[in-house]
Amino acid sequence: LGGPTDAQGRRPVVGMLLPAQARDVQLTAGFHGWCCTTFANRELTVQMPLMPGRATYRFSYLVPASDGKADLHFGARGRCDHALVLAPDDASDIELSGVEAAPPDATKGMPGVRVFQAANVEKGVLFGISLTRPLPDPAAPVAPAKTDDSLSTLQIAAVGIGVSVLVGVLLLVHRARARRASSTGTEIGSS
């Protein structure tokens, strides 16, 4: 049923600490809506009794990078048996905090992703990663725009639309021929 009631009589049931700079939180699945969920002081809290069985909550949010670095540290209102943190498998540097690299099979079916895990995380203990992307060097020369005779994006889009129209016309011609052929053909009945 949750913890002690708040001023509106709602009880905190499920709570997760999001990264400190998290903003634009969107509830996408499993929630009843903002009537029964709050986000304050970096804690996203569900305030509805849990039904017996399994409960899954899906949400999204933005974490702005500062000087090319994003802090992705999490915590939970209760003890957490197992947690995963997913990060892109790119040129980013990653600092670990309370997590370790997951075994290679953890990324099965997820190309381009690095997976980190934490086990037996106590209530309120933060875990996660700091993700740093190298900033472009402002003194580095910028590559000149290509001036070759390759197709531009606009030309490619026009060709794509032209092919779509041609396919549509061919389908109409094919259907018209099929209708003419069926109207002159012999009907077969069934009993």
Side-chain angles (χ1 to χ4, degrees), residues 38-111:
T38 59
F39 179 60
N41 301 320
R42 62 182 293 203
E43 186 170 9
L44 183 65
T45 306
V46 176
Q47 297 172 310
M48 282 184 61
L50 285 175
M51 299 287 109
R54 185 175 181 170
T56 303
Y57 299 96
R58 186 176 303 135
F59 54 98
S60 65
Y61 52 89
L62 298 175
V63 176
S66 175
D67 294 327
K69 184 174 186 174
D71 241 351
L72 304 174
H73 286 83
F74 310 90
R77 178 176 280 281
R79 187 176 170 282
C80 182
D81 290 337
H82 189 77
L84 292 177
V85 178
L86 307 177
D89 191 7
D90 58 10
S92 302
D93 292 326
I94 294 182
E95 293 175 35
L96 307 180
S97 174
V99 296
E100 60 186 25
D105 63 338
T107 59
K108 192 174 184 177
M110 294 187 292

Side-chain angles (χ1 to χ4, degrees), residues 10-34:
R10 299 175 300 186
R11 295 174 179 269
V13 177
V14 176
M16 175 177 241
L17 290 173
L18 301 185
Q21 301 300 318
R23 60 186 167 106
D24 299 330
V25 177
Q26 303 291 318
L27 310 178
T28 56
F31 295 88
H32 192 261
W34 285 109

Side-chain angles (χ1 to χ4, degrees), residues 121-176:
V121 181
E122 293 301 321
K123 172 183 175 179
V125 173
L126 295 179
F127 61 91
I129 62 173
S130 292
L131 184 70
T132 307
R133 286 217 168 112
L135 295 173
D137 182 3
V142 177
K146 292 185 179 182
T147 57
D148 61 3
D149 294 333
S150 63
L151 292 175
S152 70
T153 304
L154 183 57
Q155 290 170 321
I156 292 170
V159 169
I161 291 170
V163 169
S164 298
V165 170
L166 178 60
V167 169
V169 169
L170 290 175
L171 285 173
L172 289 173
V173 169
H174 177 69
R175 286 182 186 160

